[in-house]
Amino acid sequence: KEMQIQHPTAALIARTATAQDDVTGDGTTSTVLLCGELMRQADRHVSEGLHPRILVEGLETARDKALKFLDTVKVEMKAPEMIEDRDLLVNIARTSLNTKVDPDMAESLSQALVSSMQCIYPGPDEPIDLHRVEVLSIPRTQSYGDKEGTQFINGIVMDHGARHPDMPDVLTNCKIMTCNVSLEYEKTETQSGFFYSTAEEREKLVESERKWLDERCKQVIDFKRSVCKNGESFVMINQKGVDPLSLDIFAKEGILCLRRAKRRNMERLTLACGGSPIHSLQDMEESQLGYAGKVSQVTLGEDKYTFVEDCAKTAKSCTILLQGPNDHSIQQAKDAVKDGLRALKNALEDQAVVPGAGAFEVATYRHLIHEILPEVKGKSKLGIQAFADALLIIPKTLAENSGLDVQTTLLQLQEERESTKMMVGLDVSTGQVMLPQYEGIWDNVRVKRQSLYLSTILASQLLLVDEVMRAGKQMGKQPAMEE
């Protein structure tokens, strides 16, 4: 998205990759590779005199057959069963992340992402909202808890703490009150002023304002005493301001009070802890309170964080903590988290996955060459042949990037597929043929489908652009006048 590309064809390919990322969140590299290889195969035939229109018809036929074949080889599974199968979800996330970050980081990220998805999954009939997962980066010099690196927090982490030194740092078995009420001196909505002639009159005004605030604080304290039994704590998180005197009152009562919380945190808090936001102190009920097993204030470096953890099992929001040595590493990890969550979301919405490691491309190549090509008559065969050959760029690139001999590896894959009729892929560590489904290498169905669609459409547009431009030049000419 940020690359400044001048060449018009390259700009089109980059735009296609952006569209792939927007729709599926993965498969951008595969789409670009497939676009380039389709053009290279097409150039071979066009240079021999084949008209682009005939070639495009063959490509589109081959694409439709490949998409039908994709529906026959995908492994279907109901979403409720898939969300319970943690090993499968970890494998899906790991397959997506291994191409983006180093293996150790991919492993820890995969575990955190699956825990997050299992937390926020609403059910088979409702859309999955990935915004419920808060991604927060903290300094590498500090670590929270016993572990370092990526962590899954079953709750919310807020990047600010209480503003009073006497408030408790750690509370357990907490009632969480999320509210949006003002506990500070307020300015009037209209342009108004208070005029006084003596110091006593001014003191009366200050006293009346203070009394109004003290009454509101007393309401909160009475409510806390009525709902908290022995061993229970009370945490108040307010979206509006709380003045220092009110904070002092709450601190003496043992209430942890956070003021000016961000709106997005307030929305996630009610999802994570339960309860509902309180907008008025007149109608407070115990059912509006949430629950958290532990609330703690932690200072990491110069920043203060509030961890609201161990929320109820019904929690529908969570946090992923990221650590990195520099901004570039943290940004890379954030991008990987986004891609991994999209991969899991795609699998759950498709309710199906497809074997990876180049298995689908090798199987589709054999299907097009041996079963589709003999049925087609005429020059369209050349388009199908070009499409089938272009698909092999995926296993070729896998072999080349792994330092393997491309031709030998490709022949091994094709021979194994021919003899076993199984979905065989490439083990990039050993260079041997393997079964991706047993190694836990799974791709998203919609990523494959979108990649095939976009690359074929772009190749068709680029092949036919000469005809459009030629027609445009001729249409601009004036007809010759007769003598």
Side-chain angles (χ1 to χ4, degrees), residues 171-411:
L171 292 172
T172 55
N173 203 13
C174 308
K175 301 272 189 182
I176 308 291
M177 174 179 171
T178 53
C179 53
N180 186 20
V181 294
S182 179
L183 290 168
E184 62 183 348
Y185 297 138
E186 287 195 36
K187 290 182 179 178
T188 54
E189 290 183 11
T190 57
Q191 189 69 31
S192 60
F194 179 77
F195 301 96
Y196 51 87
S197 54
T198 62
E200 286 79 11
E201 288 180 4
R202 181 183 176 281
E203 288 301 319
K204 279 185 180 178
L205 166 72
V206 174
E207 190 180 328
S208 64
E209 279 200 310
R210 186 67 248 166
K211 184 182 176 186
W212 178 75
L213 279 176
D214 286 348
E215 285 175 359
R216 289 170 78 84
C217 293
K218 186 175 182 298
Q219 281 180 295
V220 174
I221 290 170
D222 291 343
F223 179 59
K224 178 247 179 184
R225 289 173 177 169
S226 68
V227 296
C228 288
K229 314 291 188 294
N230 290 334
E232 290 184 332
S233 313
F234 195 82
V235 178
M236 177 179 176
I237 299 169
N238 192 10
Q239 193 172 337
K240 289 184 178 174
V242 183
D243 76 329
L245 282 172
S246 301
L247 285 173
D248 193 55
I249 294 169
F250 292 139
K252 286 175 181 172
E253 186 65 24
I255 296 173
L256 175 60
C257 177
L258 275 71
R259 64 181 180 184
R260 302 197 194 287
K262 293 173 183 170
R263 184 180 169 185
R264 59 191 174 87
N265 284 334
M266 300 297 285
E267 290 170 353
R268 289 191 176 108
L269 267 167
T270 51
L271 287 167
C273 305
S276 58
I278 296 171
H279 298 286
S280 169
L281 297 178
Q282 309 305 319
D283 52 359
M284 294 185 290
E285 296 177 4
E286 189 172 356
S287 61
Q288 293 176 299
L289 299 178
Y291 172 82
K294 180 184 175 186
V295 177
S296 55
Q297 292 187 81
V298 182
T299 303
L300 301 174
E302 297 178 357
D303 301 315
K304 221 174 190 181
Y305 296 88
T306 304
F307 287 75
V308 182
E309 299 178 76
D310 302 333
C311 296
K313 289 184 178 179
T314 55
K316 292 297 177 190
S317 186
C318 58
T319 304
I320 293 177
L321 273 187
L322 298 177
Q323 286 182 298
N326 49 51
D327 291 342
H328 173 73
S329 302
I330 290 174
Q331 189 56 47
Q332 190 181 21
K334 282 183 178 178
D335 291 341
V337 165
K338 187 188 79 169
D339 292 345
L341 285 171
R342 289 287 294 274
L344 292 170
K345 178 175 180 274
N346 291 341
L348 288 164
E349 288 180 349
D350 288 336
Q351 301 193 49
V353 285
V354 65
F360 168 70
E361 287 77 14
V362 172
T364 308
Y365 172 83
R366 187 193 172 282
H367 174 70
L368 290 173
I369 296 298
H370 291 272
E371 295 175 30
I372 304 302
L373 204 59
E375 298 175 2
V376 178
K377 307 296 181 189
K379 289 184 179 179
S380 294
K381 277 188 172 187
L382 297 173
I384 295 172
Q385 179 73 52
F387 187 90
D389 290 338
L391 283 176
L392 294 180
I393 191 64
I394 304 296
K396 279 181 188 175
T397 306
L398 283 174
E400 191 176 341
N401 289 349
S402 309
L404 306 170
D405 184 275
V406 175
Q407 281 77 20
T408 306
T409 307
L410 198 56
L411 287 169

Side-chain angles (χ1 to χ4, degrees), residues 66-78:
L67 291 170
K68 282 184 182 176
F69 183 66
L70 174 63
D71 289 333
T72 61
V73 298
K74 68 182 180 184
V75 179
E76 294 185 349
M77 184 182 285
K78 297 291 183 187

Side-chain angles (χ1 to χ4, degrees), residues 76-137:
E76 294 185 349
M77 184 182 285
K78 297 291 183 187
E81 297 170 19
M82 194 182 285
I83 198 70
E84 296 297 328
D85 191 343
R86 187 177 177 86
D87 291 339
L88 175 66
L89 293 176
V90 168
N91 286 333
I92 292 168
R94 192 190 295 125
T95 303
S96 174
L97 296 179
N98 269 335
T99 58
K100 297 172 178 67
V101 292
D102 66 86
D104 292 339
M105 190 176 186
E107 182 60 39
S108 60
L109 270 177
S110 300
Q111 298 291 342
L113 291 174
V114 171
S115 299
S116 304
M117 185 55 72
Q118 288 179 326
C119 173
I120 67 167
Y121 182 66
D125 301 323
E126 296 179 47
I128 300 169
D129 183 9
L130 298 183
H131 294 292
R132 291 184 178 186
V133 180
E134 168 84 350
V135 181
L136 191 69
S137 56

